[in-house]
Amino acid sequence: MALTQVTKSGITADAIDATKIADNAVDSEHIAADSIDAEHYAAGSVDATALGADAVTAAKIGDDVIES
């Protein structure tokens, strides 16, 4: 039986989905910069520990949101 070589150009768009990717095969080094935005975060996945120092500024706090 002859082996067939698969090349990048021979893979059609959307041919590789989650069922074809091994568990833990994708790491942060494989994710392009700025490819994850707010719609991709799970609800509750970002909390106070994930925010950098000075990440929340006065410009990001709505009027009359904080009461003393």
Side-chain angles (χ1 to χ4, degrees), residues 4 25 33-34 36 40-41 49 51-53 56 59 61 65 67:
T4 301
D34 300 324
I36 299 176
H40 297 100
Y41 289 113
T49 61
L51 296 176
V56 179
I61 301 172
V65 173
E67 294 181 18

Side-chain angles (χ1 to χ4, degrees), residues 10-49:
I11 301 172
T12 59
D14 300 322
I16 299 175
D17 60 17
T19 65
K20 307 267 189 319
I21 300 172
D23 290 343
N24 302 313
V26 179
D27 198 357
S28 58
E29 68 184 77
H30 302 106
I31 300 172
D34 300 324
S35 64
I36 299 176
D37 54 23
E39 74 180 65
H40 297 100
Y41 289 113
S45 65
V46 178
D47 60 14
T49 61

